Structures are given as C-alpha cells and as structure tokens.
C-alpha cells in the first residue's frame, strides 16, 4: 500500500482550516493498528495503516508526526484570530488564493498554491512570498511565515527491528497434522445442496469443510478424471481420499469467483472428496453486503468424454472449523489433547499445526514475530490469537505485504 506523503497530509489539514474554517480535525488514522484475532477485513492480515504518525506499535513515525506537530503549533499560535476573527479570502493568481482571519489585534493568513508543478511568487499586503508547489504557507500576524506544508523541517527517522531470539532450531518445534474429514456420517450437518459459507460458520471460524462421496467406475481407456470446483470464498483446498490434490485462492481486487481445475486419481468404488473453503476476513464496504454469498457454488467430475457429473445435489456433509480449532490445541491447557510429533520425522502436509516456546524478551519495546519462512495461517501466543498471516501471497513487488 502506498503511504500518503507527510506534505500532502499537512496540506489537507491546513486547507480544511483555511477554506472551511475547520476547528476539529479527524485524522484517519493518527495511530496505526493491529487486527488481532480474526477482525481484519477481506484479504487483510494484521497491520492497519502502519504509516500513521504513531505506527501500529505506538512508535513515532518520522517525519510525519513531527511535521504535523509543527502544524498544530502554528495553528495554536493563531488560535485567537481563528476562533474570533473576521474571515475573508481573495485570489492571488490563477491557482493561488489567500484566506485571512483577523481581529483588531491579531491576524493569521493562509497562502494556498494549488499548482503541483510551479513555485510562483505572490504579493500579499505588499510583501512577496514564494509558494512551493501544492503548498500552504501560514503567516503569523499576516506577515511572518511560521509553517509551510511542503517544507519538512521535522527530524527524519526509520524504524528498525533486531533479532532478540531465533526460533530456527528444529528440535524446539512440534507439529500436528490436521485430520482430513472423510466420513459423512460423522458430519455435524448434512444436506443435498451446497450451503453458503458464512451462514454455516456464523463467522466464528475461517474454515468450512464440504465432504461428498463419489462412486468411480473406471473406463477401459484409462481416461483422466477432472475435478472442477467453483467458489466465492477466498481460498479453496481439495483432498481426495485424504490426499491433497490442489489449491486455488483469489485476491482483493480480483474476480469474486475462484475456480479449481485439477486431474485426480480415484480408486474403483466409493471415493471421498473433501473441500476446505477458507475466508480471509469479511468484506467491509460496498452496497448490499447483506446479499453477498460465499463458499462453494459448483462441484463437478469430468471423466474423459463422458457427460459431466454435477455433484451439487448429492449428499454433502459439513464440518465447521478445523479439528484443532475445536479442540483448542493452541492453548496450554488443551495442547496435550492431541499427539504432537517431531518436525524432522514429518512428511509434508498442507494443513499442519506447529508449536514452540520462547522466553519473553526483556525490556518494554514492541515485540513482533518474523514469519517470512511460513506460508499462510494464524498465530496464537499463550492461547490468544495475534492474527492471520499470509506471507506466501506476494504483492506486485514480489514481497509479502507483511511478514512481521
């Protein structure tokens, strides 16, 4: 996300005061935030506008914080004419104007230049002033420049992070493979239709399992079998007889429909297809949000040149959430309810829980986890969710939008 420049924020605030006689400025945002748990909106992980004057850790973001502090001081210096003075304005040029607030004893002027490329010299009350491109100069007593929105005098700085503890030792980690549901008779819900995702999960989890049985009769010519699944969720994982066969995901600005097409191997007789529908946050804007639907909309099997076998109206079983979520294995109390294994003896599995322990770093500085080596998931610390991560989803720059 491209951050708004310090100069542009200051320009907008000063213009609001000058043109609209504004007296209450609402910064959105002045303090960045962190979407702990599952509170983030669609395709957002945890960081919320980290470039605010106070970043998501509560640290000063320079020079934005300092530049706005100087603007606030300049406005406060002229509070008397701003609150009690007579207002007037006039043009100083084709794209320049002056806004004046004046009492019998006090005066403040805002000289505005809307031209984004030129630095014109204007004459105000017989005094020449050169205005920077797209800038506002605040004149105390209507003659002395005390602040320029385009001139940043505040101290520049950068935020750095240092490693205080490495968690790379494989022997300190344990893993638990999330079981793939395949028995429809054990499903909490069943129905001869594809249910909508959020109406099933009640937004208490990102995950909804769709489970269906398919009877396969092989043909003599060994034709390929194609699984097609269309979903309006954000991510779709597919398993056949508990074996992973593929995954597809959407994006924030992409089409609402995601489609998984993959060749699969089936055994003769009954086979189980388990589809995991995943939401990464809920939509937070737009019209008719109450009418939006998510989850799997269509599932079919294509065997060679045979007619398409649509599975929408077959008997489907549903499991809300992951097994590990239901067991709360991310808590210290319930972690022992499942069997954790050493990572070095683990074969790859796309749905895996990992756990480790670490000592709290000394001091009062903000603490973050570097998840660059991970893929997608959610993190709990001492049983509390600190949010989702999705570092395997790269931004146009080729880097994840957030890894800390």
């Amino acid at each position: 996300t491209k951050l708004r420049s310090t100069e542009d924020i200051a320009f907008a605030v000063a213009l609001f005061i000058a043109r609209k006689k504004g007296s209450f400025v609402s910064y959105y945002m002045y303090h960045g935030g962190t979407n702990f748990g599952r509170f983030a909106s669609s395709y957002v992980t945890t960081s919320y506008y980290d470039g605010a004057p106070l970043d998501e850790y509560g640290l000063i973001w320079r020079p934005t914080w300092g530049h706005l502090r100087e603007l606030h001081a300049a406005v406060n210096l002229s509070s008397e004419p701003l609150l009690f003075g007579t207002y007037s304005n006039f043009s100083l040029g084709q794209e320049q104007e002056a806004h004046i607030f004046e009492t019998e004893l006090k005066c403040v002027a805002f000289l505005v230049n809307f031209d984004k490329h030129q630095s014109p010299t204007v004459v105000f009350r017989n005094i020449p002033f050169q205005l920077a491109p797209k800038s506002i100069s605040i004149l105390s007593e209507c003659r002395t420049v005390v602040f320029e929105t385009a001139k940043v005098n505040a101290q520049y700085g950068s935020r750095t992070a240092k490693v205080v503890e490495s968690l790379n030792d494989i022997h300190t980690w344990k893993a638990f493979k999330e079981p793939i549901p395949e028995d429809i008779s054990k499903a909490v819900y069943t129905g001869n239709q594809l249910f909508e995702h959020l109406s099933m999960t009640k937004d208490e989890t990102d995950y909804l399992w769709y489970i269906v049985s398919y009877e396969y009769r092989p043909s003599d010519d060994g034709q390929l079998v194609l699984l097609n699944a269309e979903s309006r969720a954000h991510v779709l994982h597919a398993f056949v007889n508990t074996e992973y066969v593929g995954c597809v995901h959407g994006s924030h600005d992409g089409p609402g429909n995601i489609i998984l097409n993959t060749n699969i191997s089936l055994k003769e007789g009954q086979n189980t297809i388990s589809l995991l529908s995943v939401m990464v946050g809920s939509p937070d804007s737009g019209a008719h949000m109450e009418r939006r639907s998510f989850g799997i909309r269509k599932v079919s099997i294509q065997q060679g040149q045979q007619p398409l076998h649509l599975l929408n109206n077959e008997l489907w079983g549903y499991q809300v959430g992951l097994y590990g979520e239901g067991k709360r294995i991310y808590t210290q109390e319930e972690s022992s309810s499942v069997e954790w294994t050493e990572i070095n003896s683990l074969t790859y599995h796309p749905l895996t829980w990992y756990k480790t322990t670490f000592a709290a770093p000394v001091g009062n500085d903000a603490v973050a986890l570097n998840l660059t080596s991970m893929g997608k998931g959610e993190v709990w610390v001492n049983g509390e969710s600190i949010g989702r991560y999705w570092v395997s989803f790269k931004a146009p720059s080729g880097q994840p939008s957030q890894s800390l």
Side-chain angles (χ1 to χ4, degrees):
T1 302
K2 184 178 181 181
L3 297 178
R4 191 176 183 183
S5 71
T6 299
E7 296 88 340
D8 190 56
I9 297 174
F11 179 88
V13 173
L15 186 65
F16 170 66
I17 295 171
R19 265 193 166 184
K20 302 296 184 180
K21 299 183 283 294
S23 59
F24 185 88
V25 177
S26 176
Y27 287 101
Y28 190 81
M29 306 283 292
Y30 194 85
H31 194 316
T34 301
N35 290 297
F36 293 115
R38 299 175 46 257
F39 291 106
S41 62
S42 299
Y43 293 103
V44 176
T45 47
T46 63
S47 182
Y48 190 92
Y49 198 54
D50 193 32
L54 297 176
D55 68 15
E56 96 171 271
Y57 303 105
L59 304 176
I60 292 174
W61 188 267
R62 302 181 188 277
T64 305
W65 181 84
H67 193 51
L68 293 179
R69 180 181 62 171
E70 293 178 5
L71 168 60
H72 301 158
V75 171
N76 187 59
L77 181 66
S78 301
S79 58
E80 182 178 329
L82 284 172
L83 292 172
F84 306 108
T86 301
Y87 169 76
S88 62
N89 68 83
F90 56 86
S91 174
L92 293 171
Q94 189 172 0
E95 294 187 84
Q96 295 77 39
E97 58 191 35
H99 299 264
I100 303 100
F101 299 81
E102 191 168 15
T103 65
E104 291 183 359
L105 300 175
K106 299 287 185 178
C107 180
V108 62
F110 294 75
L111 306 186
V112 184
N113 178 26
F114 290 103
D115 193 320
K116 297 180 181 180
H117 307 289
Q118 302 298 322
S119 300
T121 297
V122 299
V123 177
F124 175 74
R125 295 194 174 182
N126 299 320
I127 303 174
F129 295 93
Q130 186 174 33
L131 306 181
K134 192 183 179 182
S135 70
I136 298 177
S137 295
I138 300 178
L139 276 59
S140 177
E141 302 302 337
C142 290
R143 60 176 180 270
T144 304
V145 177
V146 293
F147 183 81
E148 295 179 72
T149 61
K151 184 178 181 180
V152 180
N153 296 316
Q155 179 182 357
Y156 281 75
S158 61
R159 185 181 68 198
T160 60
K162 66 177 181 178
V163 177
V164 293
E165 184 170 352
S166 175
L167 303 178
N168 293 335
D169 185 356
I170 193 172
H171 301 293
T172 64
W173 288 87
K174 296 289 182 67
F176 170 70
K177 291 184 179 181
E178 174 73 20
I180 311 302
E182 57 176 341
D183 191 344
I184 296 179
S185 65
K186 294 181 179 179
V188 179
Y189 306 100
T190 58
N192 292 91
Q193 60 178 315
L194 295 170
F195 292 148
E196 197 273 336
H197 184 114
L198 292 181
S199 64
M200 294 293 291
T201 64
K202 311 302 182 187
D203 198 29
E204 294 179 354
T205 174
D206 291 344
Y207 303 95
L208 177 64
W209 284 102
Y210 293 71
I211 312 152
V212 69
S213 181
Y214 176 74
E215 186 173 358
Y216 173 61
R217 293 188 178 91
S219 58
D220 296 333
D221 54 5
Q223 293 176 324
L224 293 175
V225 179
L226 179 67
L227 171 66
N228 175 277
E230 299 181 17
S231 175
R232 295 191 66 81
H234 298 153
V235 184
L236 178 62
H237 296 278
F239 299 81
V240 175
N241 299 323
T242 73
E243 294 295 322
Y244 182 68
V245 297
C247 172
V248 65
H249 69 77
S251 63
H252 185 276
D253 298 320
N257 213 40
I258 58 176
I259 300 175
L260 174 67
N261 276 302
T262 184
N263 291 318
I264 59 175
S265 297
L266 298 175
K267 62 184 181 182
E268 185 172 359
Q270 291 296 326
N271 295 263
T272 301
I273 299 173
S274 305
L275 303 175
L276 182 58
S277 174
V278 187
M279 294 291 291
V280 185
S282 298
D284 62 349
S285 61
H288 306 297
M289 292 179 63
E290 73 282 0
R291 301 180 188 175
R292 300 188 193 183
S293 61
F294 300 93
I296 298 173
R297 316 305 300 159
K298 178 182 178 182
V299 182
S300 63
I301 293 288
Q302 179 78 55
Q303 185 176 346
Q305 300 302 315
Q306 295 183 19
L308 187 73
H309 189 163
L310 190 64
L311 303 179
N312 286 30
N313 296 322
E314 298 291 335
L315 179 64
W316 287 86
Y318 296 89
Q319 176 182 304
V320 176
L322 301 178
Y323 176 85
E325 283 183 304
K327 289 291 186 178
R328 294 175 55 84
I329 66 173
Y330 49 82
T331 64
Q332 184 175 357
E333 297 78 13
E334 302 299 332
S335 176
S336 59
S337 64
V338 298
E339 185 177 350
W340 297 83
T341 60
E342 302 289 339
I343 290 184
N344 55 6
S345 62
L346 184 75
T347 56
Y348 173 75
H349 190 270
L351 300 177
T352 303
W353 294 80
Y354 299 94
K355 74 170 184 176
T356 190
T357 58
F358 62 91
V362 297
N364 297 317
D365 290 335
V367 178
L369 293 177
N370 188 331
L371 301 173
T372 305
S373 62
M374 303 298 286
K376 177 189 176 299
E378 189 171 348
V379 180
W380 287 264
V381 176
N382 297 330
E384 296 293 331
S385 174
I386 63 171
R388 304 180 182 97
Y389 64 90
W390 199 352
V391 295
S392 59
F393 191 172
K394 300 296 191 295
S397 63
Q399 300 296 320
S401 59
Q402 182 183 356
S403 58
L404 290 179

